[in-house]
Amino acid sequence: MTETDYVALADFRATLRQFLAFSEREAKQAGLTPQQHQALLAIKGAEAGKMTIGLLAERLILQPHSTSGLVKRLEELNLIYRIDCAEDQRKMALGLTEQAEKLLSALSSAHLDELRRVGPLLSELMARFHSE
């Protein structure tokens, strides 16, 4: 490791943290916790009818019981619903309500704008790792 490597790693990590801080602020302004926002995004990003609590726990790096509580809170906020899982009738799949779709659309638009802003910097930092 060279001093340049350490500088690049530090800059890269700082830029990622800035994006995550932006994301947390946006979620809070929308009335969500960052974890709730991430759950909605994971559900939306999954193939329709495939996202279960177990898969969501994996995506969020949470224990299934913690994910169950998160899902319950999202249901109480009328942001998600459960449906029979097409592949396994013992499981329930998760879907987004229309309210969640609108909320997630606005949040995702803001996030894409921010990624377009920081993307070139992240690309530049990544290039530093390949230049040696």
Side-chain angles (χ1 to χ4, degrees), residues 5 7 13 18-19 23-24 39 42 47-48 60 63 70 81 87 96 99 101 103-104 107 116-117 121 124 126 132:
D5 292 331
V7 170
R13 184 159 172 76
Q18 289 168 0
F19 176 77
S23 181
E24 291 168 6
E47 188 178 336
L60 300 180
Q63 294 297 317
L70 175 61
Y81 56 88
E87 294 175 355
L96 299 182
Q99 177 184 346
E101 293 274 1
L103 189 61
L104 188 58
L107 278 167
R116 285 183 190 106
R117 188 185 73 74
L121 176 58
E124 177 188 317
M126 287 298 298
E132 295 176 19

Side-chain angles (χ1 to χ4, degrees), residues 51-65 67:
M51 183 57 74
T52 62
I53 289 177
L55 290 174
L56 185 60
E58 288 177 26
R59 289 295 301 238
L60 300 180
I61 313 171
L62 294 173
Q63 294 297 317
H65 68 275
T67 307

Side-chain angles (χ1 to χ4, degrees), residues 89-126:
Q89 294 301 314
R90 297 170 297 171
K91 296 180 181 179
M92 299 294 287
L94 306 172
L96 299 182
T97 65
E98 188 175 323
Q99 177 184 346
E101 293 274 1
K102 290 177 184 175
L103 189 61
L104 188 58
S105 178
L107 278 167
S108 296
S109 179
H111 279 72
L112 287 175
D113 288 345
E114 182 65 6
L115 281 171
R116 285 183 190 106
R117 188 185 73 74
V118 299
L121 176 58
L122 288 171
S123 293
E124 177 188 317
L125 292 168
M126 287 298 298

Side-chain angles (χ1 to χ4, degrees), residues 22-93:
F22 162 85
S23 181
E24 291 168 6
R25 281 190 309 273
E26 289 293 311
K28 288 176 185 174
Q29 287 177 358
L32 298 172
T33 67
Q35 201 169 57
Q36 289 170 335
H37 171 227
Q38 187 62 36
L40 296 179
L41 187 58
I43 294 166
K44 180 67 175 179
E47 188 178 336
K50 302 280 184 175
M51 183 57 74
T52 62
I53 289 177
L55 290 174
L56 185 60
E58 288 177 26
R59 289 295 301 238
L60 300 180
I61 313 171
L62 294 173
Q63 294 297 317
H65 68 275
S66 298
T67 307
S68 292
L70 175 61
V71 165
K72 183 180 180 197
R73 288 185 297 278
L74 288 168
E75 284 178 308
E76 290 168 354
L77 293 169
N78 193 37
L79 295 174
I80 66 170
Y81 56 88
R82 298 178 197 228
I83 52 176
D84 289 332
C85 187
E87 294 175 355
D88 187 344
Q89 294 301 314
R90 297 170 297 171
K91 296 180 181 179
M92 299 294 287

